[in-house]
Amino acid sequence: MELKAIGLTHVGRQRQHNEDAFLVADDAKLFLVADGMGGHAAGEIASRIAVDSISEFILHTKEDDGTWPHAYDEHFGRATNRLMAALRLANTRVLEAMRKDARLRGMGTTVVACMADDSTMSVAHVGDSRAYLVRKGQLSRLTNDHSWVFEQVQAGMLTEAEAEKHPLRNVITRALGGALSVTPDAAEVQSEPGDVYLLCSDGLTGMVPEEEILRIISEGSDLEKACQKLIDLANERGGLDNVTAILVKTT
């Protein structure tokens, strides 16, 4: 499976600094977005630790199962297991940084990552940064937000429309750095030629409805232009948060 990918990030219209980080590693077929939390410089540090530790782990586990000291989950293939183990390692690294520097206490980060192995795309995430698949004119969400409002939607207490405007919509229930151990959610997708994967922070999804995301991705073949349009539209709608997007197309 051949891939083309582009990633862009912007500080937005309201924030003073960008706490998002992203990675487009074509050689490893690894792509990820991290949205840091913690204020001041701490969020930036958490998201950068996540990106660096995940990419380092994937690079160093090419020749083995790559899950030690974590158990191998037989429900998923080798690539997905490596990706989940990488997210768990990133959680440990964020916690270690907080232990070493009291000024960083309380920081954390979301992360959403995908990695291609032959025709299978592995997806893993913690938090409310999202992964989508655009296939044959249809947009499907590959991740479920680890957030208070999503849990209320699942319980039937809120509609999705109500959740999008709820004052607690930014309350995250799972993040790297939030607990001694973390359990990433994972999925595997059998890719088809022409598929487009979108990884993004909530700075995009909080500003741009999914139907508009689908329209922008579907209306052209230039990934960079589509990615820039997504960023620009989020800023036109107010740019309340940092906004980051990665588009990955299979050929």
Side-chain angles (χ1 to χ4, degrees):
M1 180 171 60
E2 297 297 321
L3 302 173
K4 296 180 180 178
I6 184 72
L8 295 172
T9 189
H10 193 279
V11 69
R13 295 287 179 84
Q14 303 294 326
R15 300 297 179 90
Q16 296 300 311
H17 53 276
N18 196 340
E19 295 184 311
D20 287 359
F22 75 93
L23 175 73
V24 174
D26 293 317
D27 291 345
K29 296 184 177 180
L30 172 67
F31 314 94
L32 64 95
V33 169
D35 180 355
M37 302 167 284
H40 305 294
E44 294 178 41
I45 293 171
S47 61
R48 178 47 54 190
I49 289 172
V51 168
D52 290 346
S53 58
I54 291 169
S55 59
E56 177 186 346
F57 183 89
I58 294 299
L59 179 65
H60 290 160
T61 58
K62 285 182 178 180
E63 306 304 326
D64 54 47
D65 288 342
T67 64
W68 187 90
H70 306 287
Y72 192 95
D73 189 335
E74 297 293 344
H75 294 95
F76 298 108
R78 175 176 175 269
T80 308
N81 271 278
R82 289 170 62 211
L83 200 54
M84 289 191 292
L87 266 63
R88 291 186 174 105
L89 171 65
N91 183 66
T92 300
R93 294 278 176 83
V94 171
L95 291 171
E96 287 174 349
M98 284 191 283
R99 281 195 294 268
K100 292 177 181 177
D101 189 343
R103 294 171 297 178
L104 301 179
R105 287 176 184 169
M107 75 175 180
T109 184
T110 72
V111 64
V112 60
C114 68
M115 183 169 64
D117 183 23
D118 295 326
S119 63
T120 301
M121 184 68 81
S122 299
V123 181
H125 86 291
V126 175
D128 65 350
S129 293
R130 294 180 181 174
Y132 290 93
L133 169 64
V134 176
R135 175 182 288 173
K136 297 177 180 176
Q138 301 293 319
L139 179 77
S140 55
R141 196 187 301 178
L142 302 178
T143 55
N144 291 324
D145 294 351
H146 298 143
S147 66
W148 183 86
V149 292
F150 182 79
E151 291 177 357
Q152 300 308 301
V153 171
Q154 291 291 91
M157 303 299 291
L158 292 174
T159 66
E160 288 229 9
E162 290 170 336
E164 289 174 1
K165 298 179 180 180
H166 198 280
L168 298 180
R169 63 187 178 276
N170 294 323
V171 175
I172 305 302
T173 56
R174 204 184 309 178
L176 301 188
L180 290 178
S181 63
V182 68
T183 302
D185 284 349
E188 294 177 339
V189 179
Q190 294 303 308
S191 293
E192 299 178 5
D195 285 349
V196 179
Y197 295 88
L198 166 66
L199 305 181
C200 61
S201 62
D202 68 336
L204 176 63
T205 53
M207 296 286 101
V208 184
E210 291 181 351
E211 58 268 22
E212 292 192 67
I213 291 174
L214 173 61
R215 175 183 58 80
I216 290 171
I217 294 174
S218 300
E219 68 185 6
S221 59
D222 190 312
L223 289 186
E224 186 168 4
K225 287 182 179 179
C227 201
Q228 188 64 62
K229 284 182 179 179
L230 292 173
I231 301 286
D232 291 345
L233 187 54
N235 282 324
E236 288 171 15
R237 297 287 168 79
L240 298 181
D241 200 353
N242 311 141
V243 55
T244 302
I246 296 175
L247 291 174
V248 183
K249 186 172 184 177
T250 63
T251 59

